């Protein structure tokens, strides 16, 4: 049963990743959650970044270590979501947040699940509930990994865009 459920989750994520981009608001249920079938879906967000931001250490991409920069994004239609703007390499200066209206395109992810109590002393995972407590505001579940921003940041910055982790395979059925 577990293998079947896991395979169905993989297939749903691949279908979501291959679907056309959609406004995040169209996926969000009144409670601030969304369907697991939308994991990996490319979403469009209109709104502004706020000054509330976290650096999540001990991340790596293509052999480069650093911190994920997670920033609160206020949607024009109301509500907020955590947005992973990119990897800040160790030793680099975090770019200032531009508080002008932007449109983002990114990939919708569920909360990261590590061990219980991982975020007790400091936030080390992208967990919308823990981050909401830290920032003192309600957040939509999960987070978005930015892939594009329009207009682009006004100043060049050191953030490295991290591609989504959901992969679309060409295997018709990922038998496990």
């Amino acid at each position: 049963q577990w293998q079947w459920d896991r395979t169905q989750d993989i297939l749903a994520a691949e279908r979501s990743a291959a679907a056309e981009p959609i406004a995040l608001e169209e996926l969000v249920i009144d409670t601030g959650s969304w369907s697991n079938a939308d994991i990996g879906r490319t979403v469009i967000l209109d709104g502004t970044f706020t000054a509330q931001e976290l650096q999540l250490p001990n991340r790596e991409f293509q052999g480069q270590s650093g911190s994920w920069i997670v920033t609160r994004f206020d949607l024009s239609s109301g509500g907020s979501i955590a947005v992973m703007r990119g990897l800040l390499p160790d030793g680099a200066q975090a770019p200032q947040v531009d508080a002008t209206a932007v449109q983002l395109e990114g990939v919708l992810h569920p909360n990261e699940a590590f061990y219980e109590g991982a975020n007790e002393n400091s936030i080390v995972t992208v967990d919308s509930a823990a981050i909401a407590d830290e920032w003192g505001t309600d957040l939509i579940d999960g987070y978005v990994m930015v892939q594009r921003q329009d207009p682009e940041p006004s100043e060049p910055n050191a953030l490295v865009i991290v591609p989504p982790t959901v992969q679309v395979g060409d295997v018709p059925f990922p038998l496990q």
Side-chain angles (χ1 to χ4, degrees):
Q1 183 66 42
W2 175 85
Q3 288 177 331
W4 174 259
D5 290 343
R6 177 79 175 119
T7 299
Q8 294 307 309
D9 289 345
I10 291 169
L11 291 171
E14 289 176 349
R15 283 190 295 273
S16 288
E20 289 295 316
I22 188 170
L24 176 65
E25 295 87 347
E26 292 184 39
L27 301 178
V28 176
I29 303 166
D30 292 341
T31 61
S33 62
W34 38 273
S35 169
N36 283 345
D38 293 318
I39 293 172
R41 183 82 188 253
T42 300
V43 293
I44 298 169
L45 292 80
D46 289 302
T48 56
F49 285 108
T50 71
Q52 290 179 307
E53 186 168 86
L54 295 169
Q55 288 190 24
L56 306 183
N58 302 320
R59 302 299 175 133
E60 187 176 305
F61 175 63
Q62 294 183 339
Q64 188 172 36
S65 61
S67 300
W68 276 8
I69 303 298
V70 178
T71 308
R72 180 177 147 198
F73 190 82
D74 288 342
L75 299 165
S76 300
S77 61
S80 298
I81 191 164
V83 170
M84 199 286 280
R85 296 193 299 140
L87 176 84
L88 179 67
D90 287 339
Q93 182 69 27
Q96 293 293 329
V97 175
D98 192 1
T100 59
V102 294
Q103 183 177 74
L104 303 177
E105 186 172 303
V107 177
L108 188 60
H109 284 270
N111 292 323
E112 289 184 307
F114 286 171
Y115 57 90
E116 188 175 334
N119 292 320
E120 283 181 8
N121 296 325
S122 64
I123 306 293
V124 295
T125 68
V126 188
D127 178 341
S128 58
I131 294 172
D133 287 344
E134 176 80 13
W135 289 341
T137 187
D138 290 334
L139 292 175
I140 294 169
D141 289 342
Y143 66 103
V144 173
M145 291 180 74
V146 171
Q147 300 301 297
R148 282 185 216 56
Q149 177 177 322
D150 185 31
E152 294 203 13
S154 55
E155 296 181 22
N157 64 55
L159 292 181
V160 177
I161 298 295
V162 178
T165 55
V166 176
Q167 300 293 321
V168 178
D170 55 359
V171 178
F173 190 80
L175 185 62
Q176 295 182 344

